[in-house]
Amino acid sequence: MGNSDLFAQEKAGINPKRLVDHKIAVVGVAPIINKDVGIHHLTTRQLIAVFTGKIRNWRQVGGRNLAITLINRTQGSGTRMTFEKYGLRDRQSAVAQEQDSSGTVRQIVSSTPGAVSYVSFGYINKTVQPVSIDGVAPTENNVKSNRWKIWSYEHIYTNGQPTGLTKKFLDYLQNDHIQKTLFNKLGYISVKDMQYQRTWRGKLSKGSGVA
Amino acid sequence: MQNQKLAKQLFKKSKTARYERFGRLLCFSALVMIMAIVIGIIVFIATKGMSTFLKDHISVRDFFTGTLWNPGTKTPSGHAAVGALPMIVGSFLVTILAAIISTPFAIGTAVYMTEISPKRGAKILQPVTELLVGIPSVVYGFIGLSVVVPFVRNVFGGSGFGILSGTFVLFVMILPTIVSMTVDSLKSVPTYYRQASQALGATKWQTIWKVVLRAATPGILTAIVFGMARAFGEALAVQMVIGNASLMPHNLISPASTLTSVLTAGMGNTVMGSLQNDALWSLALVLLVMSLFFNLLVHFIGRKGAFSK
């Protein structure tokens, strides 16, 4: 079994023919800002300007006079691809410092004045300020209704159809009890609660998904 | 009949001779296995590293002089964005600065331990040095992230991540290496050098400065090169404090990257066989070549400065 934040088709160099996709959960990605900056929302245009380096100071979007310290995720990271595809509308973020682990990113954002980055919902806590985009707050319900567009599936890929212990484990992960208790506590959303589904090309279709 | 039996006995190897042969075979096969592993590693890294240039057709000049690292995309001027120069410069800067800062401290500590107060030196400083060597590098990195980065940010400005923070962390990491090797080389200066110098009327400090250190210079240089080799290859501790921005470092307090930090950060996110993966292997090849170079340098200094008794 292999875990992935992306569809196999989205990553170059992988042959997706024999892989069977199991969508286990849905995770939302939100931008987070250091609390000293003082803003709670941005428009998409402002978000793109911040992350592509066109704006260098928070004062230009209504925050305090602090230089923007951009913290990216490493190239090839699933969170980064999701954020750039659905949050920055396929724009590439500026070359800036990169960190790999979500925990490190959150710690850096919380302790560096003017820092901004993005993490999945489960990592947002009181030490950082999540940002609403275009008036939509990064909450679970907004992801379910696709008002918050920056989300992706958590995939588990198997080579062919799963059998034996693998199949039992996947059934266990996908049953309602685990999805409602453990996954919810960690900040993930059940695929069955989504009102829209998305293909790897980004095409939306209505209906709750059954993996 | 007797003769035939005798002849057979004479031509067979005795038991002890067979033990000899077995022992030699055992040692030889251990040697062969180790050599096979080393050669295998070198060949593997070399073929994967060269495939960036041979299979993916990246020009060597783009790799060594380009300043944008984003394999798979193109720079604004049309070249492949596989420029390793920011990382090479970052690695060298961090290594050389750490060596420059730690050498005076290391030599001072070693001189105190061997010349000025050998008894107290052995009792206190020796275990302290060994303790510093034993601390895992991830612990250094964590302390760097929690203590050094805020310190640099408050005192020097910037975000706290950068070559200066990397230098501070590496300075502590290579200090014990240089100290212990300098102590060894100071101890190997013959006693009659010191006695002759004092017989000529020199003071203790004059003896240390003009005679002992001068005589131990090749050993001290070897120690410094060893420390630099360790700093060059340090991955985890540096990655946590240097910021991993694949930009040319334009000052000491802006986020930069080293060969090792980019390798560790990008390792898990590439697919084997893709250009991104091959580019990382080329970075590994550069690191391998640099470590071989440091090794040769140590041998060269050692041989040149060997005592001709």
Side-chain angles (χ1 to χ4, degrees):
Chain A
M1 294 192 292
N3 301 334
S4 173
D5 292 337
L6 304 166
F7 283 92
Q9 292 87 344
E10 286 182 281
K11 189 89 179 179
I14 299 185
N15 184 350
K17 280 208 193 77
R18 288 204 54 197
L19 296 176
V20 175
D21 183 12
H22 308 272
K23 301 191 185 72
I24 299 297
V26 167
V27 68
V29 175
I32 50 173
I33 304 187
N34 176 262
K35 289 201 139 154
D36 284 343
V37 174
I39 55 181
H40 309 276
H41 57 262
L42 291 167
T43 64
T44 304
R45 188 128 52 92
Q46 289 173 328
L47 189 73
I48 295 178
V50 166
F51 273 92
T52 52
K54 289 210 182 61
I55 296 184
R56 298 294 175 92
N57 194 306
W58 286 114
R59 161 177 68 188
Q60 294 169 281
V61 285
R64 293 210 184 91
N65 184 4
L66 282 169
I68 295 182
T69 302
L70 186 57
I71 301 173
N72 254 324
R73 308 299 292 275
T74 48
Q75 289 166 4
S77 146
T79 315
R80 178 170 174 160
M81 283 187 87
T82 306
F83 189 73
E84 286 182 351
K85 196 164 169 186
Y86 297 107
L88 300 185
R89 308 266 177 88
D90 278 327
R91 302 243 189 346
Q92 271 205 340
S93 13
V95 183
Q97 68 164 296
E98 297 178 0
Q99 291 292 341
D100 203 11
S101 125
S102 299
T104 313
V105 165
R106 179 183 63 197
Q107 198 219 3
I108 298 174
V109 170
S110 66
S111 56
T112 310
V116 60
S117 186
Y118 45 92
V119 292
S120 51
F121 282 11
Y123 282 93
I124 299 177
N125 64 13
K126 294 220 177 343
T127 60
V128 291
Q129 172 70 48
V131 174
S132 310
I133 301 181
D134 290 335
V136 179
T139 63
E140 272 189 20
N141 286 330
N142 283 336
V143 172
K144 287 180 192 167
S145 59
N146 200 31
R147 288 183 69 209
W148 179 267
K149 295 191 172 22
I150 316 176
W151 55 269
S152 66
Y153 293 106
E154 299 285 24
H155 305 260
I156 292 187
Y157 280 99
T158 52
N159 200 1
Q161 289 294 338
T163 55
L165 209 55
T166 313
K167 185 167 190 324
K168 280 203 197 148
F169 186 58
L170 285 171
D171 287 340
Y172 171 72
L173 286 178
Q174 286 178 320
N175 88 45
D176 283 342
H177 175 70
I178 284 290
Q179 300 256 323
K180 280 193 173 34
T181 54
L182 192 62
F183 280 21
N184 224 319
K185 230 200 306 184
L186 294 171
Y188 293 94
I189 303 166
S190 171
V191 179
K192 300 197 192 108
D193 290 337
M194 293 293 296
Q195 292 162 14
Y196 287 87
Q197 297 301 314
R198 192 157 67 196
T199 65
W200 68 275
R201 279 183 237 266
K203 195 152 155 270
L204 283 173
S205 55
K206 211 160 188 247
S208 92
V210 182
Chain B
M1 261 291 276
Q2 272 286 64
N3 274 349
Q4 276 187 329
K5 242 177 125 182
L6 218 61
K8 243 209 264 181
Q9 256 189 333
L10 282 173
F11 280 114
K12 231 183 355 178
K13 274 195 180 260
S14 74
K15 212 187 322 180
T16 44
R18 260 184 288 139
Y19 279 157
E20 287 287 302
R21 202 163 51 162
F22 181 63
R24 254 215 298 250
L25 196 64
L26 213 57
C27 297
F28 186 65
S29 46
L31 173 75
V32 164
M33 193 183 80
I34 292 179
M35 291 225 56
I37 292 177
V38 171
I39 294 182
I41 290 178
I42 294 181
V43 164
F44 186 71
I45 297 181
T47 47
K48 294 292 281 182
M50 294 301 286
S51 71
T52 316
F53 306 112
L54 303 173
K55 180 172 72 100
D56 298 311
H57 306 295
I58 306 284
S59 82
V60 179
R61 209 162 58 111
D62 275 345
F63 186 76
F64 282 105
T65 60
T67 53
L68 196 57
W69 178 264
N70 199 348
T73 60
K74 285 206 181 307
T75 64
S77 52
H79 298 275
V82 194
L85 191 62
M87 281 87 76
I88 296 177
V89 168
S91 278
F92 270 106
L93 267 180
V94 134
T95 305
I96 293 177
L97 285 176
I100 289 179
I101 297 184
S102 63
T103 301
F105 286 98
I107 296 182
T109 312
V111 163
Y112 188 85
M113 276 170 76
T114 52
E115 308 286 327
I116 299 183
S117 76
K119 268 188 263 173
R120 207 186 305 168
K123 243 199 305 177
I124 301 181
L125 284 175
Q126 187 87 341
V128 167
T129 314
E130 280 163 17
L131 181 72
L132 277 181
V133 171
I135 297 180
S137 45
V138 67
V139 173
Y140 278 115
F142 196 34
I143 296 178
L145 186 61
S146 319
V147 175
V148 177
V149 169
F151 169 73
V152 169
R153 181 169 59 227
N154 293 330
V155 174
F156 295 99
S159 65
F161 293 97
I163 295 193
L164 195 60
S165 306
T167 305
F168 282 150
V169 171
L170 279 178
F171 149 66
V172 181
M173 289 183 79
I174 65 176
L175 191 67
T177 313
I178 305 183
V179 164
S180 55
M181 292 191 67
T182 309
V183 162
D184 285 340
S185 68
L186 284 177
K187 281 198 186 148
S188 70
V189 172
T191 335
Y192 54 81
Y193 273 47
R194 300 185 181 85
Q195 290 168 342
S197 161
Q198 287 180 341
L200 287 173
T203 63
K204 183 109 190 209
W205 178 249
Q206 280 174 329
T207 310
I208 296 175
W209 182 250
K210 288 189 186 299
V211 175
V212 176
L213 278 183
R214 207 59 82 75
T217 301
I220 297 179
L221 283 177
T222 309
I224 298 177
V225 172
F226 250 101
M228 285 176 69
R230 179 154 185 213
F232 200 81
E234 183 52 51
L236 199 51
V238 174
Q239 189 218 356
M240 292 169 96
V241 298
I242 200 152
N244 304 312
S246 310
L247 302 162
M248 284 296 285
H250 51 87
N251 58 31
L252 291 178
I253 50 175
S254 64
S257 59
T258 61
L259 291 164
T260 47
S261 75
V262 165
L263 244 182
T264 39
M267 252 185 339
N269 290 324
T270 58
V271 180
M272 191 82 146
S274 65
L275 169 61
Q276 290 86 342
N277 192 264
D278 290 339
L280 289 180
W281 281 111
S282 300
L283 293 183
L285 185 60
V286 173
L287 280 169
L288 183 70
V289 165
M290 280 312 298
S291 73
L292 289 175
F293 168 70
F294 277 122
N295 235 309
L296 285 175
L297 196 61
V298 165
H299 272 275
F300 180 65
I301 297 178
R303 212 162 352 132
K304 241 186 130 192
F307 274 118
S308 46
K309 293 237 174 93

PDB file of all heavy atoms in Angstrom, chain A residues 95, chain B residues 64-69 83-90 93 163 245-252 254-257:
ATOM      1  N   VAL A  95      10.561  31.616  -5.268  1.00  0.00           N
ATOM      2  CA  VAL A  95      11.614  30.820  -4.635  1.00  0.00           C
ATOM      3  C   VAL A  95      11.852  31.396  -3.247  1.00  0.00           C
ATOM      4  O   VAL A  95      12.187  32.556  -3.094  1.00  0.00           O
ATOM      5  CB  VAL A  95      12.917  30.888  -5.455  1.00  0.00           C
ATOM      6  CG1 VAL A  95      13.955  30.005  -4.812  1.00  0.00           C
ATOM      7  CG2 VAL A  95      12.661  30.438  -6.873  1.00  0.00           C
TER       8      VAL A  95
ATOM      9  N   PHE B  64      26.629  23.623 -13.110  1.00  0.00           N
ATOM     10  CA  PHE B  64      27.576  24.222 -12.175  1.00  0.00           C
ATOM     11  C   PHE B  64      27.510  25.733 -12.121  1.00  0.00           C
ATOM     12  O   PHE B  64      28.052  26.336 -11.203  1.00  0.00           O
ATOM     13  CB  PHE B  64      29.004  23.788 -12.529  1.00  0.00           C
ATOM     14  CG  PHE B  64      29.307  22.396 -12.056  1.00  0.00           C
ATOM     15  CD1 PHE B  64      29.353  21.342 -12.934  1.00  0.00           C
ATOM     16  CD2 PHE B  64      29.508  22.142 -10.716  1.00  0.00           C
ATOM     17  CE1 PHE B  64      29.602  20.062 -12.488  1.00  0.00           C
ATOM     18  CE2 PHE B  64      29.761  20.872 -10.265  1.00  0.00           C
ATOM     19  CZ  PHE B  64      29.812  19.823 -11.155  1.00  0.00           C
ATOM     20  N   THR B  65      26.929  26.383 -13.104  1.00  0.00           N
ATOM     21  CA  THR B  65      26.893  27.846 -13.055  1.00  0.00           C
ATOM     22  C   THR B  65      25.474  28.390 -12.973  1.00  0.00           C
ATOM     23  O   THR B  65      25.296  29.570 -12.735  1.00  0.00           O
ATOM     24  CB  THR B  65      27.547  28.466 -14.303  1.00  0.00           C
ATOM     25  OG1 THR B  65      26.839  28.012 -15.444  1.00  0.00           O
ATOM     26  CG2 THR B  65      28.996  28.083 -14.393  1.00  0.00           C
ATOM     27  N   GLY B  66      24.459  27.553 -13.150  1.00  0.00           N
ATOM     28  CA  GLY B  66      23.104  28.063 -13.072  1.00  0.00           C
ATOM     29  C   GLY B  66      22.745  28.402 -11.638  1.00  0.00           C
ATOM     30  O   GLY B  66      23.247  27.798 -10.697  1.00  0.00           O
ATOM     31  N   THR B  67      21.854  29.375 -11.461  1.00  0.00           N
ATOM     32  CA  THR B  67      21.525  29.779 -10.094  1.00  0.00           C
ATOM     33  C   THR B  67      20.091  29.460  -9.709  1.00  0.00           C
ATOM     34  O   THR B  67      19.665  29.779  -8.615  1.00  0.00           O
ATOM     35  CB  THR B  67      21.741  31.292  -9.905  1.00  0.00           C
ATOM     36  OG1 THR B  67      21.026  31.979 -10.919  1.00  0.00           O
ATOM     37  CG2 THR B  67      23.198  31.637  -9.961  1.00  0.00           C
ATOM     38  N   LEU B  68      19.325  28.826 -10.593  1.00  0.00           N
ATOM     39  CA  LEU B  68      17.944  28.495 -10.259  1.00  0.00           C
ATOM     40  C   LEU B  68      17.824  26.984 -10.157  1.00  0.00           C
ATOM     41  O   LEU B  68      18.192  26.264 -11.076  1.00  0.00           O
ATOM     42  CB  LEU B  68      17.008  29.037 -11.349  1.00  0.00           C
ATOM     43  CG  LEU B  68      15.532  29.124 -10.973  1.00  0.00           C
ATOM     44  CD1 LEU B  68      15.358  29.967  -9.739  1.00  0.00           C
ATOM     45  CD2 LEU B  68      14.746  29.717 -12.118  1.00  0.00           C
ATOM     46  N   TRP B  69      17.319  26.512  -9.016  1.00  0.00           N
ATOM     47  CA  TRP B  69      17.185  25.069  -8.821  1.00  0.00           C
ATOM     48  C   TRP B  69      15.721  24.708  -8.792  1.00  0.00           C
ATOM     49  O   TRP B  69      15.055  24.877  -7.795  1.00  0.00           O
ATOM     50  CB  TRP B  69      17.867  24.649  -7.517  1.00  0.00           C
ATOM     51  CG  TRP B  69      17.739  23.196  -7.226  1.00  0.00           C
ATOM     52  CD1 TRP B  69      16.815  22.602  -6.436  1.00  0.00           C
ATOM     53  CD2 TRP B  69      18.554  22.132  -7.748  1.00  0.00           C
ATOM     54  NE1 TRP B  69      16.999  21.251  -6.407  1.00  0.00           N
ATOM     55  CE2 TRP B  69      18.063  20.929  -7.210  1.00  0.00           C
ATOM     56  CE3 TRP B  69      19.640  22.082  -8.601  1.00  0.00           C
ATOM     57  CZ2 TRP B  69      18.621  19.699  -7.506  1.00  0.00           C
ATOM     58  CZ3 TRP B  69      20.204  20.853  -8.882  1.00  0.00           C
ATOM     59  CH2 TRP B  69      19.689  19.685  -8.344  1.00  0.00           C
ATOM     60  N   GLY B  83      20.353  24.463 -11.682  1.00  0.00           N
ATOM     61  CA  GLY B  83      21.561  25.171 -11.276  1.00  0.00           C
ATOM     62  C   GLY B  83      21.936  24.842  -9.848  1.00  0.00           C
ATOM     63  O   GLY B  83      21.205  25.174  -8.914  1.00  0.00           O
ATOM     64  N   ALA B  84      23.086  24.204  -9.661  1.00  0.00           N
ATOM     65  CA  ALA B  84      23.503  23.800  -8.317  1.00  0.00           C
ATOM     66  C   ALA B  84      24.411  24.824  -7.670  1.00  0.00           C
ATOM     67  O   ALA B  84      24.862  24.619  -6.548  1.00  0.00           O
ATOM     68  CB  ALA B  84      24.215  22.455  -8.370  1.00  0.00           C
ATOM     69  N   LEU B  85      24.704  25.931  -8.363  1.00  0.00           N
ATOM     70  CA  LEU B  85      25.649  26.894  -7.797  1.00  0.00           C
ATOM     71  C   LEU B  85      25.240  27.432  -6.429  1.00  0.00           C
ATOM     72  O   LEU B  85      26.081  27.523  -5.539  1.00  0.00           O
ATOM     73  CB  LEU B  85      25.861  28.049  -8.785  1.00  0.00           C
ATOM     74  CG  LEU B  85      27.020  28.973  -8.439  1.00  0.00           C
ATOM     75  CD1 LEU B  85      28.315  28.213  -8.464  1.00  0.00           C
ATOM     76  CD2 LEU B  85      27.078  30.132  -9.429  1.00  0.00           C
ATOM     77  N   PRO B  86      23.945  27.789  -6.190  1.00  0.00           N
ATOM     78  CA  PRO B  86      23.590  28.286  -4.854  1.00  0.00           C
ATOM     79  C   PRO B  86      23.931  27.283  -3.759  1.00  0.00           C
ATOM     80  O   PRO B  86      24.409  27.659  -2.693  1.00  0.00           O
ATOM     81  CB  PRO B  86      22.078  28.507  -4.935  1.00  0.00           C
ATOM     82  CG  PRO B  86      21.762  28.582  -6.349  1.00  0.00           C
ATOM     83  CD  PRO B  86      22.778  27.781  -7.079  1.00  0.00           C
ATOM     84  N   MET B  87      23.688  26.004  -4.027  1.00  0.00           N
ATOM     85  CA  MET B  87      23.958  25.004  -3.007  1.00  0.00           C
ATOM     86  C   MET B  87      25.443  24.793  -2.798  1.00  0.00           C
ATOM     87  O   MET B  87      25.905  24.599  -1.677  1.00  0.00           O
ATOM     88  CB  MET B  87      23.309  23.662  -3.373  1.00  0.00           C
ATOM     89  CG  MET B  87      21.858  23.631  -3.077  1.00  0.00           C
ATOM     90  SD  MET B  87      20.889  24.248  -4.420  1.00  0.00           S
ATOM     91  CE  MET B  87      20.983  22.858  -5.499  1.00  0.00           C
ATOM     92  N   ILE B  88      26.209  24.802  -3.901  1.00  0.00           N
ATOM     93  CA  ILE B  88      27.655  24.606  -3.765  1.00  0.00           C
ATOM     94  C   ILE B  88      28.259  25.757  -2.971  1.00  0.00           C
ATOM     95  O   ILE B  88      29.054  25.563  -2.043  1.00  0.00           O
ATOM     96  CB  ILE B  88      28.310  24.487  -5.163  1.00  0.00           C
ATOM     97  CG1 ILE B  88      27.797  23.234  -5.871  1.00  0.00           C
ATOM     98  CG2 ILE B  88      29.817  24.429  -5.047  1.00  0.00           C
ATOM     99  CD1 ILE B  88      28.314  23.065  -7.272  1.00  0.00           C
ATOM    100  N   VAL B  89      27.838  26.996  -3.345  1.00  0.00           N
ATOM    101  CA  VAL B  89      28.342  28.167  -2.610  1.00  0.00           C
ATOM    102  C   VAL B  89      27.922  28.083  -1.151  1.00  0.00           C
ATOM    103  O   VAL B  89      28.721  28.345  -0.245  1.00  0.00           O
ATOM    104  CB  VAL B  89      27.827  29.457  -3.266  1.00  0.00           C
ATOM    105  CG1 VAL B  89      28.092  30.640  -2.375  1.00  0.00           C
ATOM    106  CG2 VAL B  89      28.480  29.662  -4.605  1.00  0.00           C
ATOM    107  N   GLY B  90      26.657  27.697  -0.897  1.00  0.00           N
ATOM    108  CA  GLY B  90      26.187  27.599   0.482  1.00  0.00           C
ATOM    109  C   GLY B  90      27.000  26.605   1.280  1.00  0.00           C
ATOM    110  O   GLY B  90      27.413  26.874   2.411  1.00  0.00           O
ATOM    111  N   LEU B  93      30.552  28.037   1.869  1.00  0.00           N
ATOM    112  CA  LEU B  93      30.554  29.149   2.820  1.00  0.00           C
ATOM    113  C   LEU B  93      30.396  28.655   4.249  1.00  0.00           C
ATOM    114  O   LEU B  93      31.145  29.047   5.146  1.00  0.00           O
ATOM    115  CB  LEU B  93      29.413  30.118   2.495  1.00  0.00           C
ATOM    116  CG  LEU B  93      29.757  31.290   1.581  1.00  0.00           C
ATOM    117  CD1 LEU B  93      28.538  32.140   1.377  1.00  0.00           C
ATOM    118  CD2 LEU B  93      30.871  32.104   2.191  1.00  0.00           C
ATOM    119  N   ILE B 163      22.962  31.325   6.605  1.00  0.00           N
ATOM    120  CA  ILE B 163      24.303  30.752   6.718  1.00  0.00           C
ATOM    121  C   ILE B 163      24.879  31.010   8.112  1.00  0.00           C
ATOM    122  O   ILE B 163      25.603  30.174   8.650  1.00  0.00           O
ATOM    123  CB  ILE B 163      25.196  31.335   5.615  1.00  0.00           C
ATOM    124  CG1 ILE B 163      24.662  30.865   4.280  1.00  0.00           C
ATOM    125  CG2 ILE B 163      26.630  30.911   5.798  1.00  0.00           C
ATOM    126  CD1 ILE B 163      25.561  31.091   3.134  1.00  0.00           C
ATOM    127  N   ALA B 245      16.340  27.655   1.058  1.00  0.00           N
ATOM    128  CA  ALA B 245      15.880  28.447  -0.079  1.00  0.00           C
ATOM    129  C   ALA B 245      16.936  28.323  -1.153  1.00  0.00           C
ATOM    130  O   ALA B 245      18.081  28.712  -0.944  1.00  0.00           O
ATOM    131  CB  ALA B 245      15.696  29.903   0.329  1.00  0.00           C
ATOM    132  N   SER B 246      16.566  27.782  -2.317  1.00  0.00           N
ATOM    133  CA  SER B 246      17.577  27.547  -3.345  1.00  0.00           C
ATOM    134  C   SER B 246      17.899  28.831  -4.081  1.00  0.00           C
ATOM    135  O   SER B 246      17.719  28.954  -5.279  1.00  0.00           O
ATOM    136  CB  SER B 246      17.070  26.489  -4.331  1.00  0.00           C
ATOM    137  OG  SER B 246      16.600  25.395  -3.623  1.00  0.00           O
ATOM    138  N   LEU B 247      18.346  29.821  -3.296  1.00  0.00           N
ATOM    139  CA  LEU B 247      18.737  31.094  -3.876  1.00  0.00           C
ATOM    140  C   LEU B 247      20.207  31.294  -3.592  1.00  0.00           C
ATOM    141  O   LEU B 247      20.731  30.795  -2.610  1.00  0.00           O
ATOM    142  CB  LEU B 247      17.989  32.251  -3.203  1.00  0.00           C
ATOM    143  CG  LEU B 247      16.488  32.237  -3.228  1.00  0.00           C
ATOM    144  CD1 LEU B 247      15.974  33.181  -2.162  1.00  0.00           C
ATOM    145  CD2 LEU B 247      16.001  32.697  -4.585  1.00  0.00           C
ATOM    146  N   MET B 248      20.867  32.095  -4.425  1.00  0.00           N
ATOM    147  CA  MET B 248      22.248  32.464  -4.132  1.00  0.00           C
ATOM    148  C   MET B 248      22.247  33.265  -2.828  1.00  0.00           C
ATOM    149  O   MET B 248      21.505  34.229  -2.687  1.00  0.00           O
ATOM    150  CB  MET B 248      22.817  33.333  -5.250  1.00  0.00           C
ATOM    151  CG  MET B 248      23.190  32.587  -6.488  1.00  0.00           C
ATOM    152  SD  MET B 248      24.505  31.413  -6.209  1.00  0.00           S
ATOM    153  CE  MET B 248      25.909  32.474  -6.092  1.00  0.00           C
ATOM    154  N   PRO B 249      23.058  32.859  -1.867  1.00  0.00           N
ATOM    155  CA  PRO B 249      23.057  33.610  -0.609  1.00  0.00           C
ATOM    156  C   PRO B 249      23.646  34.996  -0.809  1.00  0.00           C
ATOM    157  O   PRO B 249      24.794  35.126  -1.202  1.00  0.00           O
ATOM    158  CB  PRO B 249      23.947  32.755   0.309  1.00  0.00           C
ATOM    159  CG  PRO B 249      24.729  31.896  -0.590  1.00  0.00           C
ATOM    160  CD  PRO B 249      24.003  31.742  -1.860  1.00  0.00           C
ATOM    161  N   HIS B 250      22.827  36.046  -0.563  1.00  0.00           N
ATOM    162  CA  HIS B 250      23.415  37.365  -0.776  1.00  0.00           C
ATOM    163  C   HIS B 250      23.858  38.027   0.521  1.00  0.00           C
ATOM    164  O   HIS B 250      24.521  39.034   0.496  1.00  0.00           O
ATOM    165  CB  HIS B 250      22.469  38.286  -1.567  1.00  0.00           C
ATOM    166  CG  HIS B 250      21.091  38.339  -0.994  1.00  0.00           C
ATOM    167  ND1 HIS B 250      20.719  39.202  -0.009  1.00  0.00           N
ATOM    168  CD2 HIS B 250      19.996  37.620  -1.305  1.00  0.00           C
ATOM    169  CE1 HIS B 250      19.434  39.022   0.259  1.00  0.00           C
ATOM    170  NE2 HIS B 250      18.975  38.073  -0.492  1.00  0.00           N
ATOM    171  N   ASN B 251      23.456  37.468   1.657  1.00  0.00           N
ATOM    172  CA  ASN B 251      24.135  37.860   2.890  1.00  0.00           C
ATOM    173  C   ASN B 251      24.003  36.705   3.868  1.00  0.00           C
ATOM    174  O   ASN B 251      23.406  35.684   3.557  1.00  0.00           O
ATOM    175  CB  ASN B 251      23.579  39.158   3.473  1.00  0.00           C
ATOM    176  CG  ASN B 251      22.100  39.041   3.746  1.00  0.00           C
ATOM    177  OD1 ASN B 251      21.597  37.970   4.056  1.00  0.00           O
ATOM    178  ND2 ASN B 251      21.393  40.139   3.602  1.00  0.00           N
ATOM    179  N   LEU B 252      24.573  36.867   5.052  1.00  0.00           N
ATOM    180  CA  LEU B 252      24.655  35.735   5.965  1.00  0.00           C
ATOM    181  C   LEU B 252      23.340  35.454   6.660  1.00  0.00           C
ATOM    182  O   LEU B 252      23.204  34.448   7.315  1.00  0.00           O
ATOM    183  CB  LEU B 252      25.739  35.989   7.016  1.00  0.00           C
ATOM    184  CG  LEU B 252      27.169  35.972   6.481  1.00  0.00           C
ATOM    185  CD1 LEU B 252      28.139  36.279   7.606  1.00  0.00           C
ATOM    186  CD2 LEU B 252      27.486  34.619   5.904  1.00  0.00           C
ATOM    187  N   SER B 254      20.151  35.664   5.189  1.00  0.00           N
ATOM    188  CA  SER B 254      18.999  35.311   4.363  1.00  0.00           C
ATOM    189  C   SER B 254      19.007  33.797   4.155  1.00  0.00           C
ATOM    190  O   SER B 254      20.070  33.188   4.129  1.00  0.00           O
ATOM    191  CB  SER B 254      19.069  36.031   3.024  1.00  0.00           C
ATOM    192  OG  SER B 254      20.184  35.593   2.307  1.00  0.00           O
ATOM    193  N   PRO B 255      17.810  33.188   4.022  1.00  0.00           N
ATOM    194  CA  PRO B 255      17.768  31.731   3.905  1.00  0.00           C
ATOM    195  C   PRO B 255      18.570  31.254   2.709  1.00  0.00           C
ATOM    196  O   PRO B 255      18.500  31.815   1.628  1.00  0.00           O
ATOM    197  CB  PRO B 255      16.277  31.428   3.722  1.00  0.00           C
ATOM    198  CG  PRO B 255      15.590  32.599   4.265  1.00  0.00           C
ATOM    199  CD  PRO B 255      16.476  33.771   4.018  1.00  0.00           C
ATOM    200  N   ALA B 256      19.356  30.216   2.921  1.00  0.00           N
ATOM    201  CA  ALA B 256      20.186  29.658   1.854  1.00  0.00           C
ATOM    202  C   ALA B 256      20.002  28.152   1.872  1.00  0.00           C
ATOM    203  O   ALA B 256      19.144  27.636   2.578  1.00  0.00           O
ATOM    204  CB  ALA B 256      21.643  30.038   2.082  1.00  0.00           C
ATOM    205  N   SER B 257      20.805  27.455   1.123  1.00  0.00           N
ATOM    206  CA  SER B 257      20.712  25.994   1.150  1.00  0.00           C
ATOM    207  C   SER B 257      22.086  25.414   0.885  1.00  0.00           C
ATOM    208  O   SER B 257      22.955  26.060   0.301  1.00  0.00           O
ATOM    209  CB  SER B 257      19.713  25.493   0.118  1.00  0.00           C
ATOM    210  OG  SER B 257      20.089  25.898  -1.158  1.00  0.00           O
TER     211      SER B 257
END
